[in-house]
Amino acid sequence: MGFDRWCLALADPQTLIPLAGDAEHDYGPAVARSLELEYSGTDFAAMGELARRTVPAASLSAETGGDLARSPRWDEVLRPVGIGDEAVLACRDALGCWGWIKAYRDSSDARFAEEDLDLLTEVGPSLGAALRRRINGALNGAVAAAGAPGVIVLDRDLRPTSSTVAARGWIEVLPAAELFAAWGMLPAVVYPVAALARSPNAATAAHALERAVDGRWVRIEAAPLEGERDGSIAVVVRGAAPAETFELLCRAYALTRRERQLVAALIAGLDTRAVTEQLFISRHTVQDHLKSVFDKLGIRSRRELLATFSATAQGT
């Protein structure tokens, strides 16, 4: 399948918000606007929407019925840099969506055909599993101590107007922060979170978990401001609590329901006897489940297990 430019973004599988990634395209300074439009709920072939569909691949040409100008994202961001069609694949496996691949063709090239989208759909599960392994492969190692939460205020156009000192520290450790700063932008994850804060289901969707370059898990969350700053968005950036990353870690390591119950019990401080009583299983079964968990996480002890699930907000 031919294409001229591309983008790969990892995903928060719970909120379906794009995180850090890699790209080779020409609209870097307009990434913020592109994400704002894509997560406004009115654009075509949006990443979050595709992650929920039965068929995880689509193109702008097919979604717009051949009229690309119907897409605000294409008209405002892609068209000015010579991009014609865009194909998008939500990379999903049985455990969730772990990222997206976008392929672009120049405006002078043929648009993506149905067979191109069929090919993307076919390889989607394998790519999803690979991205999940990429995430859980980055979960081990020493983690920096958590800092105080930071706050950034964005205006109605999602431009930062003020922030706390702590916010600067958090922004600097998010992936590709230096690159985005050179374009006068915050890290890309901020913009879809802020855009979703304006939607009716903001209470459940306007947040994401991102892995910082120093090893910490960071929670980015947003809410609209009221009063004189009507239309502005407050973005809070802080260290994620272990309870907030538990589901993500369990998914990333492909833990079964029983294995998750076992890990939760151990995190709560239960010993083997208490675990057997709570889960109504034998000591032998506890050890079997524990061995399976150790194998999946690549560890050898309960201490390492507890460190892995508590390393999101403090040092190991």
Side-chain angles (χ1 to χ4, degrees), residues 88 114 123 131 148 171:
V88 188
E114 185 175 348
V123 301
L131 292 180
I171 292 302

Side-chain angles (χ1 to χ4, degrees), residues 13-83:
Q14 295 172 281
T15 59
L16 301 179
I17 286 177
L19 310 175
D22 300 294
E24 185 178 318
H25 56 58
D26 305 312
Y27 64 90
V31 164
R33 181 57 176 161
S34 176
L35 290 168
E36 179 187 0
L37 292 169
E38 187 158 1
Y39 277 80
S40 67
T42 60
D43 209 347
F44 296 87
M47 289 184 282
E49 175 63 25
L50 280 177
R52 298 181 180 92
R53 291 186 187 176
T54 303
V55 179
S59 68
L60 278 179
S61 59
E63 296 282 295
T64 61
D67 183 4
L68 293 173
R70 294 176 61 198
S71 164
R73 183 171 82 257
W74 180 84
D75 192 46
E76 188 172 333
V77 177
L78 306 183
R79 179 185 56 79
V81 297
I83 292 176

